[in-house]
Amino acid sequence: MSEVRAVYRVENAQNHIDIPVLDHLNTFSVKQYSDHRFRKQLLAHIDYLLIELDGRLNSIVRTKKEGDLITLEVFGCTYYRFNRSQRHIRVGRIDRVGNYHEKDAVFELFRPLSTSYWLWFFRESLSPFPGKQEYVGWGEIEEWLYSVLLKDSRFISFRAQWHRQHFPYPEILLLCQRAHWLRDEQIVDSNIFEMVWKNLDQFRLLDNENSNLLSLYLLAMRAEVIDFELEPTQALKRHLRSAGVSRKVWRHLLQDGVEWIASDLEFEWSGYRYLIASYWSVIQEYLLLRTVIGVSPLEDVFFQCLRNAPRYHLEIPTELTSPLPLNSVSPAILRIISAHYISLTEITETDVQKITLIVLWDLHLHPILDRHQRRAGWRWALKQAQIWRQKRLDQYACDHYHWRNSIGVIHWGRYHIEPLESGKALLAEAIEMKNCLLTFAERCQMGRYQLYRVHHCDDGIFANMGFYIEEGIWALDDIKGPRNNPVGLKLLGIAQYFEKFINQQLSCGCLEG
């Protein structure tokens, strides 16, 4: 007995059943939970959905042929339409009277109905349930129904046999699967299918010559860099060799294809595997970098450091690290990094960050190294990269950091106290006072530090005072004059009084924090 039918029979056997979905409908109030009529109505709705699913599971797919069109109707709610003359595929939903509504989206073909989203199509295809209101908490019901389907033997069999028994072009589907850059992931989306279908002769020829190049050819075709007048292998070779890829790297591609690239450019996030090389530009940059650093096992490990660059932002804004055109790293910098790397017995995360920082510095500044700088080596390059990073951080603070201090502009006698409330203001003050105020920008942005400018209207005495917060109380950190010189007792007294003034204003409720 199928799992869907079993659930339905349990529903009919009991007037009250503890379905897991009822424990997760966060849209219901406590009163509604305890409302027996509401619960009974919800169970009746779920009964109705299960009955419909059970009936449709007995005849999942219907095939229609009209001229050049082949249409597969799945569950009476979703359709796949193939146009043989134009070689394109469309998908959409079927409403309750049988009309088609196209869905403009990329969808998965090798294992169809792979998410619960399509159950919304199913719901819209049903006749109205007597006395039914809107589906409250449909998202949770949808997920629960899909979990029931995933245990049903008919649904499992349908998805496993889809490409053999129902799909009209199984040969193309399997060719797409071989051309996918993650071969052990059974994902073929509609865009890939259409591209292979429209260029079927080229892909068949390449599959016979060297199937290792199928994925590269597909990616190059998506990037529109292929000369279709040449045979597929020759077209790939001509493009890559003209871009600067060495013969040695090309031979490596012929032997291992995308498997070699995937091992270096693949990463995992939230349980899903991705490939940075799903874009041709990144593939080409990788191959050009391999041309520079080689393909030996030692260089493989070195590349592992470079490929992790996007993960280590090193306190640098994200836009400075994405994407990294690694092929643009100068040979002189690569030699400096390689020499340092070879001397290490173990690569730590700190080493990776330092290597990445030097790469970023080279990519953004393109420094031209003279003979003495190249001889200076690793320490010199790292120091220059750290100086560059600090300048970029300072510039970023100037452009993006804004905050509000607790106290605005005030006058005490002839003394004028002005808050510094932006990265740009800190930079201007740091230049005028010749100090390091800009290093406090991030703490000010986070609300953990406040800076003020103090000057005397007659004598022209200038100073900067800083305050930090601890357990809700603002405390004086320091007060300094130009070039961080110490100040006199009068200014120190003003700073101490200002500290009390801030906390008094906070305690009486005049300030929010």
Side-chain angles (χ1 to χ4, degrees), residues 330 332-333 358-370 373 380 384:
S330 65
I333 293 297
I358 293 176
V359 169
L360 290 170
W361 164 65
D362 180 70
L363 290 174
H364 289 84
L365 284 190
H366 304 291
I368 299 176
L369 277 57
D370 59 29
Q373 291 170 333
W380 174 84
Q384 297 303 311

Side-chain angles (χ1 to χ4, degrees), residues 352-414:
V352 174
Q353 291 185 0
K354 290 177 179 178
I355 291 172
T356 303
L357 180 58
I358 293 176
V359 169
L360 290 170
W361 164 65
D362 180 70
L363 290 174
H364 289 84
L365 284 190
H366 304 291
I368 299 176
L369 277 57
D370 59 29
R371 178 166 53 89
H372 301 291
Q373 291 170 333
R374 289 196 295 269
R375 188 177 297 171
W378 172 264
R379 290 181 181 274
W380 174 84
L382 182 59
K383 183 177 179 180
Q384 297 303 311
Q386 289 170 338
I387 293 172
W388 165 80
R389 184 192 71 165
Q390 190 57 53
K391 288 181 179 178
R392 292 307 297 254
L393 288 174
D394 293 347
Q395 184 62 48
Y396 185 81
C398 291
D399 295 340
H400 297 83
Y401 285 176
H402 300 275
W403 60 88
R404 289 294 299 273
N405 285 4
S406 298
I407 305 294
V409 177
I410 60 174
H411 300 274
W412 282 347
R414 304 300 295 169

Side-chain angles (χ1 to χ4, degrees), residues 48 52 56 96 123-130 132 135:
Y48 173 59
E52 289 292 334
R56 297 188 185 189
R96 61 184 58 138
R123 188 191 75 180
E124 294 298 308
S125 71
L126 298 177
S127 301
F129 182 73
K132 137 179 128 60
Y135 286 96

Side-chain angles (χ1 to χ4, degrees), residues 141-157:
I141 295 175
E142 175 187 293
E143 291 293 335
W144 181 78
L145 284 174
Y146 192 65
S147 69
V148 172
L149 273 177
L150 289 176
K151 299 174 184 177
D152 189 275
S153 57
R154 294 168 294 175
F155 187 69
I156 295 170
S157 176

Side-chain angles (χ1 to χ4, degrees), residues 204-324:
R204 280 173 172 166
L205 179 61
L206 187 59
D207 190 35
N208 292 328
E209 289 180 352
N210 189 339
S211 60
N212 288 330
L213 297 179
L214 282 172
S215 302
L216 293 175
Y217 190 70
L218 178 61
L219 292 168
M221 185 174 288
R222 291 175 68 183
E224 300 180 353
V225 298
I226 286 297
D227 184 355
F228 288 100
E229 294 182 0
L230 298 175
E231 292 184 353
T233 305
Q234 291 301 316
L236 270 177
K237 182 178 180 180
R238 174 175 291 188
H239 177 75
L240 292 174
R241 293 287 289 125
S242 63
V245 175
S246 66
R247 287 190 177 88
K248 186 176 182 180
V249 171
W250 171 249
R251 287 196 296 269
H252 214 79
L253 275 176
L254 290 174
Q255 180 179 345
D256 296 326
V258 78
E259 301 298 332
W260 171 47
I261 297 173
S263 64
D264 280 339
L265 296 183
E266 181 184 305
F267 68 99
E268 186 170 320
W269 181 72
S270 296
Y272 293 94
R273 293 168 62 243
Y274 295 87
L275 192 66
I276 305 171
S278 57
Y279 298 97
W280 177 256
S281 60
V282 182
I283 286 271
Q284 188 166 299
E285 288 163 4
Y286 170 88
L287 296 176
L288 289 171
L289 180 64
R290 281 296 192 176
T291 296
V292 176
I293 67 174
V295 294
S296 70
L298 181 63
E299 289 151 345
D300 281 346
V301 179
F302 168 68
F303 187 79
Q304 295 296 318
C305 296
L306 291 184
R307 81 182 182 91
N308 283 322
R311 299 184 183 180
Y312 300 100
H313 292 170
L314 308 168
E315 304 173 14
I316 297 174
T318 307
E319 64 266 19
L320 299 182
T321 62
S322 179
L324 279 180

